[in-house]
Amino acid sequence: MNCYLCDNRLDLKPSWRDLFFLDPEETICVNCREGFECCGNGCRICGAGGTEICGECSRWETTGFRGAIDSGKCLYAYNEAMKDYFHQFKFLQDVVLAEVFAGELAKAIRKTKASAVPIPMNKDKLRKRTFSQVDSMLDAGRVDYIHLLEKNSEIQGEKTKEERMATRNLFTWNGNPVPKNIVLVDDMYTTGTTLRLAAKVLKESGAERVSFIALIRA
């Protein structure tokens, strides 16, 4: 088997755990894996390293989104290796790359002991890209999840930071039963706007606690 990213042959060493499917199969080589940078811990709301609550979350807590997110964690920084991976996965539509971080994402989600709810794509974008990158990673990690939200046609990536933070009606609840404890799952955390908009809708629809796990922190 070859590395999904550089195409070099993988040096796999079978173990007894493989017989019982306890560990996901490795998909990238050691050199590629070492290019990714794990995020630290710190902020009690978004997980940003260094402080008990970061400046960005402090600003959010002075708005109508105070308390929307109870806690969160990002797994990797958006360094050059991650930019290359993300471009190939999301924009070049290489769906097999969903497997690369599926195991780590699944482990982080299961630690929360909450019901996983992926951030959805709007229907037009989903038709264009043919698959949801978040759903694909959850499927690859064998994580059970439920869809509770529908996303309108606004494109957050084309807005300035100020415009994203001013957005109000990005999501609607789809009417499915809402668990009390939810972990939102997304591919990237940028300003926290998307996740807060989703969390607020879910809390207004019956959730008592909403945390998040994001693969990347931009």
Side-chain angles (χ1 to χ4, degrees):
M1 179 175 172
N2 291 353
C3 172
Y4 283 2
L5 299 180
C6 70
D7 206 35
N8 287 332
R9 185 158 184 81
L10 292 176
D11 182 19
L12 301 177
K13 297 179 180 179
S15 72
W16 65 269
R17 293 177 64 87
D18 298 329
L19 298 176
F20 300 97
F21 303 101
L22 296 177
D23 291 324
E25 184 176 327
E26 185 56 272
T27 55
I28 62 174
C29 67
V30 172
N31 286 339
C32 286
R33 182 71 68 181
E34 288 178 348
F36 299 106
E37 178 187 348
C38 292
C39 287
N41 296 314
C43 176
R44 60 181 171 81
I45 297 176
C46 75
T51 57
E52 195 268 338
I53 181 167
C54 70
E56 193 164 78
C57 286
S58 293
R59 289 191 292 275
W60 276 112
E61 291 299 287
T62 65
T63 72
F65 292 91
R66 177 181 176 86
I69 292 176
D70 293 283
S71 64
K73 180 178 178 62
C74 300
L75 302 186
Y76 288 94
Y78 197 42
N79 65 2
E80 288 303 315
M82 185 56 79
K83 288 177 184 177
D84 290 343
Y85 162 83
F86 196 62
H87 177 77
Q88 186 174 342
F89 177 38
K90 186 171 183 176
F91 299 107
L92 299 185
Q93 302 177 1
D94 194 350
V95 68
V96 73
L97 295 184
E99 299 174 23
V100 173
F101 299 106
E104 292 159 90
L105 192 65
K107 187 181 295 185
I109 291 167
R110 290 180 179 125
K111 281 184 179 179
T112 69
K113 302 186 185 306
S115 299
V117 175
I119 293 292
M121 298 173 66
N122 73 63
K123 293 178 181 178
D124 290 339
K125 187 179 288 187
L126 182 58
R127 280 193 293 269
K128 181 178 179 181
R129 291 205 180 137
T130 70
F131 72 95
S132 163
Q133 57 270 13
V134 178
D135 288 11
S136 296
M137 288 190 290
L138 294 175
D139 289 337
R142 300 185 180 91
V143 176
D144 293 330
Y145 58 91
I146 50 176
H147 280 288
L148 296 176
L149 300 167
E150 294 180 359
K151 191 175 186 180
N152 70 25
S153 59
E154 291 188 42
I155 302 175
Q156 292 293 90
E158 294 179 358
K159 295 182 178 182
T160 65
K161 180 177 179 179
E162 291 72 21
E163 287 172 337
R164 287 196 298 270
M165 293 180 73
T167 303
R168 286 293 181 271
N169 300 310
L170 187 62
F171 298 103
T172 55
W173 172 43
N174 65 11
N176 289 333
V178 177
K180 298 299 183 185
N181 187 13
I182 287 172
V183 55
L184 284 166
V185 186
D186 205 1
D187 52 7
M188 185 177 293
Y189 181 102
T190 306
T191 65
T193 305
T194 298
L195 287 160
R196 282 178 170 85
L197 289 166
K200 195 169 191 295
V201 170
L202 292 173
K203 284 197 167 180
E204 290 171 347
S205 303
E208 294 179 357
R209 176 178 173 80
V210 179
S211 58
F212 78 84
I213 300 292
L215 176 64
I216 306 164
R217 186 183 191 96

